[in-house]
Amino acid sequence: MEKKYFDLHLHPLFKNFLSSYDGSIPPSIQTFEDLTQPVRMSNVFTSVVDELFIHILKSQSSIQQCKKGNVNYAVAAIVNLEFGFADSRGFFGTVLKSKFSNPLDKIFFEKVRNGEISYYRLMLMELSLYKKLRDHQESTIAILSRNSNKKALENGLNIILSLEGSHNFSKLLIGNPLQIDYIEDRFTDLKKLKKISQDADHLWREMIVDTENGEEPTANYNQNPAVNLEKFYKSLSKENMDLLYLTLTHLTHINEQFLATHAFGMKMLKHPSFYPFGNGISSLGYDVIEKCYSMTNHKNEYRPVLIDVKHLGLKSRQDYYAFRKTLIQKEKKYEKIPIIASHIGVTGYTVNEWKNALKRNSCTVYNYEGTRAVSIEMEKKICGKWGSFVNNDFTFNPWSINLMDEDITEILNSNGIIGMSLDVRILGFQSEYGISLTSENEYLSTADFHTHFPQITVKNLPLNTMESMIVENESWLIPTKEDRHPLSFCFNIIHIIQVGLLKTDIAEPWNQICLGSDFDGLIEPLKISPDISSLEELEANMIKWIPVAEKAYVNENGGTRILFGKSTAELKKIVRGIMYENGKNFIDRWLNNFAG
C-alpha cells in the first residue's frame, strides 16, 4: 500500500496562473491539462546560473506532482502578485521579469505595477482556476468544504483552500486608495450587466458583478475589509467552497489595506514595501480577526476561519494572542478555534532570549523614499553538533518571521498545528566549512524596534541608504557550500517537541506537527526534496535523522530524550503522523467545525 502525504501550505496552481494572463472570469484560455502540469521555469539560456537562483523557481507542487507524490490532502494557499514583487529591484527582480523566467506572463507584472487591477480581481482569477479544476469530470480531485456533503477521497487529491494575505480581498486598484476596481466595469449598459448577473452562477454573480439586487454598481462600495471578507465568504459558501485559514499579512506592506505589521522575509527582491511598517495589528486587522472567529455561511451556519500567524511580525503575533483571549472571554465557543502556523521554522529562543541575542553594534537605520527600517542581527542559537567537518554546529534561523517559544506554546495549547517549512533558509542552513557569504540581518519597523528594544534610541543608530543596502545584500548571489542536510529540518521539529514537553501539559506534542512545504512559494528546498513529488525520500530521511537530531539537541541544550529510545516501529509511527496522520486528523476536525 502506497504511503499518503499531507501538506498544510502549498501553491499548486500559482505558477500555472502566472503563466497565462486571462482577463476573463471564469478563465477561458487554460485547459484542465494546462492547469495540472508542472511549469518549466527555465530555458537553455539559464543553465549557467541555474544553481544560483532558478532552482528556487523550480520548486513546484503542481497537481501532477502532487499525484505522483501521493499527496492525499493539500491546503492550497491563494496569494496574488504584490506590487513589491512586480516593481522589485535587484538582480533577481530583473531576472524574474525577464526572458530568463519564462514562461511567467509579464502582463501580470505590468498590470500590477501600473495599478490597472485590484488584488481582489487577481484573487478571483486564481480562485476561478480551482473552481474549473473542481468542476472538471475528474474523479481523483476533490475540493473539500464544510458547506458541502462531498466526502474526502480515500485515494486521490483532496484540496482545501486558504488565503495568504488579506490584501486578497482589497477591491481598490493597486497603488490607488481612491479608486475601486469595478470587476465588470466594461459593461456600461445596465441591461448587459443584468444579463451577466442572471447567467452567471452564484460565485461569479455575487463576487464579480458585486451588485445588490442587480442594480448598477456605484462608488458606495464598502471598503471595510471585514465586510468584504464576510461577503466574499458567503458567496464562496453558496458555491460549496470554503476557507481553512487566512494569513493576515504576506511579504510586503500593502498601502491600500494595512491590517498588521509583517515580518521581514525577502532578500532576493529589493523594494521598500518588503520592509516592515507599523507597530502590530491595526484596528481594521482586529475587525478582520473578529469576523473570522464569528464567520457564518450563506445559511447562517457557524463557519470560523482560522488565523495563520505566519508572516505576522512578532509584535503582531503578540497582539493577536492578547486579542484572542479577549474574544474568548466574550464568547466561550471561540476557545475551540485553534491557532496555526502554516509554513514555519523556529528561532530556538524565548522572546527575552531573542532580545538578549541582539548584536547591538550591528543595528542600522535605513531610509528610502520615506520608508525607514532598522537592520538587526542576532546571535544564532546552536541546535546541536554533528559531523566531523570544520564547523559542525547546526543553528536555528533567528529571524522573527520564525516562531519564538511563546508562539509554540500558544499554538500547542490552542490544540492547533504547526506546518514545517521545507525552505532551508527558514530552517537555518549551515555552511559546511564555516564560510557563509550571505548576510545574516533582518529588518524591523522602527516602531517595532522601539517596542522590543526600548533601551536603544533609534535616532542614535547609524544611518544608511536603501541603495547601499541593495548592493550589500546581493552577496547571496555568491555560491557557498551550504549543507542543506535534513538534520536542519529535524532540529526544528525537535525544538518544538522539547518546548511542548517542557512548557505545556501536552504529552505528545509531535501529534501537532505536520508538513507545510510552501512549494511554489519562492523557497530554496532541501536537496532531498526538490518538489512535492519527493516526500517519500524526506520521510525516509526523517526516520534516520530525527533520533540523531534529538540526541545532539539534548546534549547541547538539555531536555528529554523521548524519540531516541523508541523502537523503529514507534519512530516510524511518529514520523508517519508528521507526514500525514496529524494533518488528516486536523482537517477531519475542521470539517466537523472543531466540535467536541
Side-chain angles (χ1 to χ4, degrees):
M1 181 178 177
E2 283 188 305
K3 293 179 180 178
K4 300 175 184 177
Y5 294 95
F6 173 92
D7 198 325
L8 187 60
H9 189 91
L10 73 174
H11 305 274
L13 295 186
F14 185 58
K15 287 195 176 82
N16 306 76
F17 171 53
L18 287 182
S19 295
S20 181
Y21 181 82
D22 184 349
S24 62
I25 309 176
S28 57
I29 295 177
Q30 290 184 306
T31 66
F32 177 82
E33 288 70 27
D34 293 332
L35 295 180
T36 59
Q37 301 298 312
V39 176
R40 186 172 182 269
M41 291 304 300
S42 58
N43 54 42
V44 292
F45 299 106
T46 63
S47 57
V48 176
V49 291
D50 182 71
E51 282 302 312
L52 291 178
F53 56 87
I54 295 297
H55 67 286
I56 293 174
L57 295 176
K58 288 179 175 179
S59 60
Q60 295 189 48
S61 57
S62 68
I63 298 297
Q64 185 185 78
Q65 289 167 317
C66 284
K67 289 184 174 183
K68 180 181 178 182
N70 211 27
V71 176
N72 191 215
Y73 288 85
V75 182
I78 296 175
V79 59
N80 44 63
L81 184 66
E82 293 152 83
F83 179 74
F85 285 85
D87 194 48
S88 60
R89 294 120 161 128
F91 181 73
F92 192 89
T94 301
V95 170
L96 195 62
K97 293 173 285 186
S98 73
K99 65 181 180 181
F100 289 106
S101 60
N102 286 341
L104 295 184
D105 194 328
K106 304 310 177 285
I107 296 178
F108 279 100
F109 291 85
E110 293 170 4
K111 286 190 172 292
V112 170
R113 188 167 54 248
N114 298 332
E116 299 174 14
I117 199 167
S118 66
Y119 290 122
Y120 185 72
R121 185 194 292 253
L122 285 171
M123 182 268 291
L124 290 184
M125 289 166 64
E126 186 176 355
L127 177 62
S128 69
L129 299 184
Y130 283 97
K131 184 175 183 295
K132 189 171 186 176
L133 196 69
R134 182 197 69 174
D135 294 343
H136 190 269
Q137 299 302 313
E138 171 60 71
S139 61
T140 59
I141 301 175
I143 295 184
L144 301 185
S145 169
R146 292 167 294 177
N147 302 308
S148 169
N149 293 323
K150 189 168 185 177
K151 302 296 182 182
L153 298 173
E154 185 69 26
N155 295 299
L157 178 60
N158 297 289
I159 293 176
I160 304 99
L161 297 176
S162 67
L163 290 181
E164 186 170 19
S166 54
H167 60 291
N168 282 281
F169 44 87
S170 170
K171 299 178 182 178
L172 295 166
L173 289 178
I174 296 170
N176 189 341
L178 301 177
Q179 188 171 348
I180 304 293
D181 181 11
Y182 294 115
I183 305 299
E184 288 295 341
D185 57 2
R186 67 180 181 274
F187 293 100
T188 55
D189 186 325
L190 184 57
K191 291 182 179 179
K192 290 183 179 180
L193 183 61
K194 288 182 177 179
K195 181 68 166 58
I196 292 293
S197 179
Q198 291 167 358
D199 290 349
D201 59 27
H202 285 301
L203 182 64
W204 311 127
R205 181 174 70 245
E206 298 192 14
M207 288 184 181
I208 300 173
V209 180
D210 199 6
T211 62
E212 297 294 339
N213 302 318
E215 296 177 359
E216 189 171 8
T218 68
N220 295 323
Y221 277 114
N222 191 318
Q223 280 309 298
N224 183 296
V227 174
N228 284 344
L229 174 61
E230 181 177 35
K231 183 169 184 179
F232 166 74
Y233 183 80
K234 289 183 184 298
S235 298
L236 195 68
S237 69
K238 286 183 181 180
E239 272 297 306
N240 293 323
M241 299 175 84
D242 210 339
L243 287 179
L244 173 62
Y245 61 77
L246 170 68
T247 306
L248 280 178
T249 57
H250 194 224
L251 287 166
T252 68
H253 171 67
I254 304 295
N255 287 322
E256 299 90 329
Q257 189 163 276
F258 173 63
L259 300 189
T261 302
H262 72 278
F264 182 77
M266 176 57 67
K267 279 196 171 180
M268 294 183 299
L269 303 176
K270 310 301 173 187
H271 192 271
S273 65
F274 286 111
Y275 303 97
F277 172 85
N279 187 213
I281 296 176
S282 69
S283 59
L284 290 177
Y286 286 125
D287 289 343
V288 168
I289 294 171
E290 189 163 11
K291 181 59 65 179
C292 285
Y293 272 59
S294 63
M295 188 69 75
T296 57
N297 66 9
H298 65 291
K299 296 179 180 179
N300 206 34
E301 297 167 328
Y302 185 47
R303 296 290 186 267
V305 177
L306 305 185
I307 298 297
D308 174 18
V309 299
K310 174 69 183 205
H311 292 300
L312 286 175
L314 175 57
K315 175 63 163 56
S316 297
R317 301 200 300 270
Q318 294 171 330
D319 287 350
Y320 166 56
Y321 303 141
F323 185 59
R324 179 177 182 268
K325 288 178 173 62
T326 66
L327 290 177
I328 290 172
Q329 289 174 355
K330 292 191 295 185
E331 188 65 67
K332 190 67 174 176
K333 68 179 180 181
Y334 293 163
E335 194 170 24
K336 294 182 179 179
I337 301 176
I339 305 169
I340 69 166
S342 65
H343 54 299
I344 206 81
V346 302
T347 64
Y349 288 131
T350 65
V351 172
N352 284 335
E353 288 171 342
W354 178 80
K355 292 178 181 179
N356 291 332
L358 177 71
K359 295 182 179 179
R360 172 65 178 81
N361 294 331
S362 70
C363 298
T364 305
V365 177
Y366 287 94
N367 196 329
Y368 180 70
E369 294 181 358
T371 298
R372 297 178 77 222
V374 182
S375 169
I376 65 170
E377 185 176 345
M378 302 297 184
E379 295 284 353
K380 291 183 176 182
K381 181 175 180 178
I382 297 176
C383 332
K385 302 178 188 293
W386 181 86
S388 57
F389 38 82
V390 176
N391 180 4
N392 64 352
D393 291 343
F394 280 71
T395 59
F396 296 115
N397 181 347
W399 282 21
S400 59
I401 195 172
N402 277 345
L403 299 180
M404 309 291 176
D405 290 1
E406 290 86 349
D407 295 304
I408 295 170
T409 57
E410 288 280 355
I411 296 168
L412 295 181
N413 284 331
S414 75
N415 207 12
I417 197 165
I418 298 173
M420 300 306 305
S421 171
L422 289 185
D423 190 335
V424 296
R425 299 164 300 183
I426 289 292
L427 298 174
F429 58 79
Q430 323 305 321
S431 172
E432 184 175 357
Y433 299 111
I435 302 171
S436 178
L437 298 179
T438 55
S439 53
E440 305 281 356
N441 58 314
E442 67 159 313
Y443 299 85
L444 300 178
S445 70
T446 52
D448 274 9
F449 181 85
H450 178 71
T451 295
H452 299 312
F453 306 101
Q455 76 279 12
I456 302 175
T457 305
V458 172
K459 68 179 181 180
N460 292 337
L461 296 177
L463 297 174
N464 215 326
T465 63
M466 290 277 183
E467 290 90 337
S468 65
M469 179 186 63
I470 289 173
V471 174
E472 168 192 324
N473 287 338
E474 292 291 2
S475 62
W476 71 273
L477 291 171
I478 304 173
T480 62
K481 295 182 179 295
E482 294 104 9
D483 179 11
R484 299 165 195 162
H485 201 283
L487 206 52
S488 293
F489 180 75
C490 293
F491 273 127
N492 279 257
I493 292 174
I494 293 300
H495 184 74
I496 294 170
I497 292 173
Q498 291 296 324
V499 170
L501 292 172
L502 180 65
K503 299 183 179 181
T504 75
D505 295 326
I506 298 168
E508 298 180 338
W510 49 81
N511 291 334
Q512 291 175 247
I513 302 173
C514 69
L515 186 67
S517 70
D518 198 23
F519 275 126
D520 279 28
L522 286 181
I523 73 167
E524 184 175 357
L526 296 170
K527 282 186 174 180
I528 59 167
S529 189
D531 60 54
I532 198 66
S533 67
S534 56
L535 297 184
E536 187 172 3
E537 186 172 355
L538 175 63
E539 181 174 8
N541 273 272
M542 283 181 64
I543 294 169
K544 176 181 179 181
W545 291 109
I546 203 164
V548 177
E550 183 188 64
K551 180 180 179 181
Y553 178 95
V554 172
N555 287 343
E556 182 70 33
N557 299 291
T560 306
R561 287 176 64 177
I562 297 292
L563 305 180
F564 191 79
K566 291 190 178 294
S567 67
T568 301
E570 290 175 310
L571 189 61
K572 286 182 177 180
K573 183 178 179 181
I574 290 172
V575 173
R576 191 90 279 274
I578 293 172
M579 298 300 293
Y580 179 66
E581 298 292 345
N582 300 343
K584 177 186 181 299
N585 292 339
F586 189 82
I587 295 302
D588 288 342
R589 287 172 51 210
W590 171 70
L591 290 171
N592 288 300
N593 229 30
F594 299 104

